[in-house]
Amino acid sequence: MLKLIEDMEMGQVVDLDSIINAREGQIQSVAMQDIDEVFDKGITGEGQIESIAMGQKEGIEITAFAFEKGKGTEPCTTSRDILVYIHTGVATVKIGDELIEVKKDQMVAMPANIAHQVTAKEDMKMLFISVKEA
């Protein structure tokens, strides 16, 4: 996973399918739950911000979020690299001073120790995949 993040340029938007196709056989499951099932049953998207922890294993944490349009995270900095995968909707992601639009089925890397923020441009569901080097 760390190699995947290193290969992505900061703020580069990437389609999930292209990563899976390029790294076929190299991506291992860290959570046994089906993403659609978590979003359909675990998160309704009817609150302002909802979240559910999907799993944690060897320095990787996966959390599913649902944000109403206009809602988002506060600006913050973390010691972990974070991959943001947009499952539905559109988000504005701020990394440092750069604003990036990320759409359904795209992901963007937010490097450790750089201020970042995610805001929903429309109702949105996403995964935060937080990675800490062991």
Side-chain angles (χ1 to χ4, degrees):
M1 184 65 82
L2 289 174
K3 178 70 174 142
L4 174 64
I5 292 171
E6 289 171 3
D7 289 348
M8 291 177 65
E9 295 178 33
M10 182 179 87
Q12 174 189 5
V13 176
V14 178
D15 290 317
L16 184 62
D17 288 340
S18 66
I19 289 175
I20 291 171
N21 292 335
R23 309 220 184 254
E24 193 170 325
Q26 295 180 19
I27 295 177
Q28 298 177 4
S29 174
V30 294
M32 299 306 294
Q33 297 162 296
D34 179 79
I35 293 171
D36 287 322
E37 182 178 320
V38 170
F39 281 118
D40 292 343
K41 295 180 181 175
I43 293 184
T44 63
E46 296 172 0
Q48 292 183 3
I49 299 176
E50 294 184 62
S51 68
I52 184 170
M54 290 181 62
Q56 181 176 359
K57 181 179 178 182
E58 298 176 25
I60 298 174
E61 295 177 7
I62 301 175
T63 306
F65 287 92
F67 292 174
E68 283 185 342
K69 179 180 179 178
K71 302 296 180 186
T73 63
E74 294 293 323
C76 64
T77 303
T78 180
S79 61
R80 294 174 168 252
D81 292 318
I82 298 174
L83 289 176
V84 175
Y85 166 69
I86 305 301
H87 185 67
T88 61
V90 179
T92 300
V93 177
K94 184 175 183 182
I95 303 171
D97 294 327
E98 186 177 359
L99 285 176
I100 305 149
E101 184 174 279
V102 187
K103 300 176 184 175
K104 179 184 186 317
D105 292 331
Q106 293 182 327
M107 62 190 326
V108 65
M110 298 189 306
N113 305 314
I114 296 177
H116 58 267
Q117 181 176 19
V118 178
T119 305
K121 287 187 78 172
E122 57 187 54
D123 289 354
M124 175 193 67
K125 295 178 182 178
M126 69 177 177
L127 292 179
F128 256 40
I129 304 166
S130 173
V131 182
K132 183 169 184 149
E133 196 166 350

